[in-house]
Amino acid sequence: YATARCDTPVTAYRLASEDLETLLEQPAFAKQVVFALTNEIKRQSQQLRTPLLQQQGLEYPVVPTSIAAAIESFYRSALNSWLNYRLTGKSAALFPNMHVQLPTRVLYINGFKLCRKLLDEQVNPEDYSN
């Protein structure tokens, strides 16, 4: 079983598998469950129908993305250092080689996003045959 902690007051409900089986034996309830699941499957599958090259990219904010990449770089470095310490028992620098990690991460994340944006603007997939 998973455990969770909630910091705000909530009401949690629990349905035993035996009770669910009893409910599913009722034709009207079972029909509603199947209908709801079918609608959810349709909704999720429609999100995946557009081929990759026909999907339109969103506006690309360079500065916020760079800031997020920099913060993520520090977070990943600290987390990896901590995990390595927990796994091996050997202490290491918390933020090793950040003078290399930070610009590399910012450049490659921005680079991929800018390449995608340029391809969206410059290349029309309909001009090419399959």
Side-chain angles (χ1 to χ4, degrees):
Y1 290 100
T3 58
R5 188 184 94 210
C6 187
D7 294 331
T8 58
V10 297
T11 302
Y13 298 94
R14 181 174 160 253
L15 180 63
S17 60
E18 297 84 17
D19 296 336
L20 179 61
E21 288 175 12
T22 303
L23 288 170
L24 289 174
E25 289 173 359
Q26 300 174 10
F29 182 79
K31 186 177 180 179
Q32 288 177 346
V33 169
V34 169
F35 181 73
L37 290 173
T38 304
N39 283 341
E40 182 62 19
I41 291 170
K42 286 180 184 176
R43 185 188 69 78
Q44 288 185 13
S45 67
Q46 285 180 352
Q47 293 175 348
L48 305 174
R49 283 193 183 161
T50 306
L52 179 63
L53 294 178
Q54 292 178 3
Q55 295 175 8
Q56 295 300 313
L58 302 173
E59 286 297 315
Y60 174 61
V62 177
V63 174
T65 302
S66 298
I67 292 170
I71 292 170
E72 182 192 17
S73 183
F74 279 97
Y75 164 78
R76 290 170 72 87
S77 177
L79 182 63
N80 284 335
S81 180
W82 180 78
L83 283 174
N84 287 337
Y85 171 73
R86 296 293 291 174
L87 292 172
T88 64
K90 296 179 182 176
S91 182
L94 196 57
F95 302 108
N97 300 321
M98 290 310 289
H99 65 287
V100 175
Q101 286 189 48
L102 186 96
T104 302
R105 187 155 196 84
V106 170
L107 284 175
Y108 93 77
I109 288 176
N110 281 322
F112 278 123
K113 289 185 175 286
L114 286 173
C115 284
R116 170 70 188 269
K117 183 178 185 225
L118 288 173
L119 287 172
D120 281 345
E121 293 171 356
Q122 303 296 324
V123 177
N124 184 5
E126 295 174 6
D127 293 344
Y128 303 92
S129 65
N130 289 342

